[in-house]
């Protein structure tokens, strides 16, 4: 211990004699270490923020959503819903989820009397009932349909686009013929509605995409918005059920993208194999392809930072070599004197190692402490201040960047 104390005192005295050169070396090591730590953390912070912003984009977020469609009998819909939620949890690898549903009936024929007299021959126009998410629609006229008596007419709301084409309005009464040979259904129009946003991914569950009218082999109008009990109570024929599942990516980091992509592929495959979903399940999401594209973009951006970091290391290395050369010239006579007085090579090497630690330890301690504030400051400047990166770093702290 006494020997180590003497060696430490000797190193400190020698450092004092060459304090200007050693201060330059310390400053070089400190600044290089701080900047490298900041670049590393900055790359992670920007990558995570870019990933979350990309997935929060309306178009990308819609493509990343999980869409499940299946023909499910009314009695099996609770079990099917539980299965879809379980599969969605697997697909999104445990991220928080929002699930929206659209349950529809089979096809019904509109009365031919709604057509002009010259067009009443041939196949009738079609429609169908659906239990829609009430947050996805707004009533333009009248009111939302209510559950009525079991033997009374079914209250429905009609899309404005469909109502204008066929000429129906509130309080009109119609009789719809089941195209699957079930009993006819009497309906009364309680109101007219529009989708809040036809660009919402929710309308991917609707065969008419929220437009109210679709022309093909048949002209289809709808869906007729009905109370959920009508679809589950057996008053109308059973049709397909749809689920739209969207994840909250606020906690997602770039380190989880590979696992999330694999989970998405496995989860959709698992859903398609579930017998409760009738074996004809369509379960789709573009999340794996989106994550692959984002990963490639992140690799390109990180390679740019790697080039900058490499240039910085080369410059710092050159500066340290210059300082080492100057020190060796200054200490050449000192080393000859120490060797003449019996200092061993091991002792001289230990002194040099201790002196190197005096340069490295402050840099290792200060770099992580300074990296966080530097990132938060730089994230608040220029274009980055408009992305919200500074708020994310401040909330997550330097340990999460």
């Amino acid at each position: 211990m006494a020997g180590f104390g003497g060696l430490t005192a000797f190193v400190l005295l020698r450092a004092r004699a060459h304090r200007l050169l050693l201060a330059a070396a310390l400053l070089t090591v400190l600044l290089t270490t701080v900047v490298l730590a900041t670049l590393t953390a900055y790359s992670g912070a920007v990558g995570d923020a870019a990933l979350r912003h990309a997935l929060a984009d309306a178009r990308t977020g819609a493509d990343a959503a999980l869409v499940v469609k299946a023909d499910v009998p009314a009695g099996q819909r609770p079990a099917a819903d539980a299965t879809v939620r379980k599969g969605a949890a697997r697909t999104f690898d445990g991220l928080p989820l929002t699930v929206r549903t659209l349950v529809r009936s089979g096809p019904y024929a509109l009365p031919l009397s709604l057509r002009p007299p010259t067009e009443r021959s041939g196949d009738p126009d079609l429609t169908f009932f659906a239990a829609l998410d009430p947050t996805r629609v707004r009533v333009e006229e009248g009111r939302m349909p209510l559950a009525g008596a079991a033997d009374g007419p079914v209250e429905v709301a009609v899309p404005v686009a469909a109502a204008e084409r066929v000429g129906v309005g509130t309080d009109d009464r119609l009789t719809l013929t089941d195209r699957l040979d079930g009993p006819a259904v009497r309906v009364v129009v309680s109101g007219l509605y529009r989708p809040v946003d036809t660009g919402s991914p929710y309308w991917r569950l609707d065969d008419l995409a929220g437009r109210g009218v679709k022309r093909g082999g048949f002209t289809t109008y709808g869906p007729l918005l009905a109370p959920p009990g009508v679809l589950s109570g057996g008053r109308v024929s059973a049709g397909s059920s749809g689920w739209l599942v969207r994840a909250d990516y606020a906690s997602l980091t770039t380190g989880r993208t590979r696992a999330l992509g694999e989970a998405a592929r496995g989860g959709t495959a698992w859903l398609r194999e579930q017998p409760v979903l009738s074996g004809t399940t369509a379960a789709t999401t573009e999340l794996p392809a989106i994550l692959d594209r984002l990963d490639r973009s992140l690799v390109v951006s990180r390679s740019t930072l790697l080039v900058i970091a490499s240039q910085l290391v080369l410059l710092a290395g050159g500066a340290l070599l210059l300082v080492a050369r100057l020190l060796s010239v200054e200490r050449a006579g000192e080393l000859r004197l120490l060797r003449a007085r019996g200092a061993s090579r091991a002792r001289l090497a230990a002194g040099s190692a201790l002196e190197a630690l005096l340069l490295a330890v402050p840099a290792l301690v200060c770099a992580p402490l300074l990296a966080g504030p530097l990132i938060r400051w730089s994230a608040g400047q220029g274009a980055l201040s408009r992305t919200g990166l500074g708020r994310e770093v401040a909330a997550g702290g330097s340990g999460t960047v």
Side-chain angles (χ1 to χ4, degrees):
M1 182 65 68
F4 179 77
L7 179 62
T8 303
F10 168 72
V11 169
L12 291 176
L13 286 173
R14 189 167 67 167
R16 182 180 178 184
H18 303 284
R19 55 184 176 273
L20 291 179
L21 286 174
L22 290 177
L26 175 61
L27 185 61
T28 300
V29 173
L30 179 60
L31 289 178
T32 303
T33 308
V34 170
V35 172
L36 287 177
T38 302
L39 284 175
T40 302
Y42 187 80
S43 174
V46 169
D48 292 343
L51 175 66
R52 290 191 284 265
H53 279 287
L55 291 172
D57 177 75
R59 177 63 182 273
T60 305
D63 292 338
L66 172 65
V67 176
V68 182
K69 292 183 179 181
D71 294 326
V72 181
Q76 295 185 12
R77 281 174 183 157
D81 185 73
T83 300
V84 169
R85 292 174 185 272
K86 181 179 179 180
R90 295 169 64 119
T91 300
F92 291 104
D93 199 24
L95 291 173
L97 303 175
T98 301
V99 182
R100 301 190 185 278
T101 61
L102 189 156
V103 180
R104 55 165 289 177
S105 70
Y108 282 80
L110 289 170
L112 291 175
S113 59
L114 296 178
R115 287 183 173 182
T118 57
E119 300 179 8
R120 291 178 182 177
S121 60
D123 294 322
D125 296 331
L126 302 181
T127 189
F128 57 90
F129 299 89
L132 303 177
D133 186 329
T135 65
R136 302 294 95 189
V137 299
R138 66 172 181 268
V139 176
E140 293 287 305
E141 182 181 330
R143 57 173 175 79
M144 292 288 282
L146 303 175
D151 57 350
V154 175
E155 289 194 359
V156 297
V158 180
V160 171
E164 291 174 348
R165 291 289 296 274
V166 299
V168 300
T170 55
D171 298 326
D172 285 354
R173 295 175 180 268
L174 305 171
T175 299
L176 307 181
T177 304
D178 190 350
R179 299 288 287 181
L180 301 180
D181 298 328
V185 177
R186 293 180 294 117
V187 301
V188 58
V189 179
S190 67
L192 308 181
Y193 76 88
R194 291 184 190 273
V196 173
D197 178 14
T198 54
S200 168
Y202 176 76
W203 295 106
R204 298 187 180 194
L205 301 178
D206 177 21
D207 292 343
L208 279 63
R211 294 189 295 267
V213 180
K214 180 180 180 181
R215 291 185 175 276
F218 294 84
T219 300
T220 304
Y221 298 95
L224 303 180
L225 174 56
V230 172
L231 278 298
S232 60
R235 297 190 65 183
V236 298
S237 61
S240 64
S241 299
W243 294 263
L244 177 82
V245 186
R246 303 188 72 179
D248 181 358
Y249 301 103
S251 62
L252 183 64
T253 61
T254 53
R256 289 185 61 188
T257 54
R258 185 179 297 273
L260 180 58
E262 293 298 324
R265 294 184 183 93
T268 52
W270 182 85
L271 281 167
R272 286 191 287 268
E273 295 171 355
Q274 299 309 300
V276 72
L277 297 175
S278 75
T280 58
T281 308
T284 60
T285 176
E286 296 297 320
L287 183 59
I290 292 171
L291 292 176
D292 287 343
R293 291 198 301 269
L294 293 175
D295 278 342
R296 288 193 294 270
S297 299
L298 289 173
V299 168
V300 173
S301 64
R302 286 172 176 171
S303 65
T304 303
L305 289 178
L306 180 61
V307 171
I308 296 173
S310 300
Q311 292 174 337
L312 178 63
V313 169
L314 290 175
L315 289 174
L320 289 176
L321 286 175
L322 178 60
V323 171
R325 175 62 179 169
L326 293 174
L327 280 175
S328 68
V329 171
E330 292 284 337
R331 293 176 175 176
E334 179 184 305
L335 289 175
R336 286 194 296 269
L337 179 60
L338 289 173
R339 290 287 293 161
R341 298 184 63 178
S344 65
R345 291 181 181 275
R347 191 169 183 83
L348 292 176
S352 298
L354 183 59
E355 194 172 47
L357 286 176
L358 292 178
L359 300 178
V361 170
L364 293 176
V365 172
C366 294
L369 298 177
L370 295 176
L374 279 175
I375 294 174
R376 286 191 286 273
W377 176 82
S378 60
Q381 309 301 313
L384 283 176
S385 62
R386 297 191 293 271
T387 67
L389 176 61
R391 292 189 297 274
E392 294 184 23
V393 173
S398 60
T400 61
V401 297

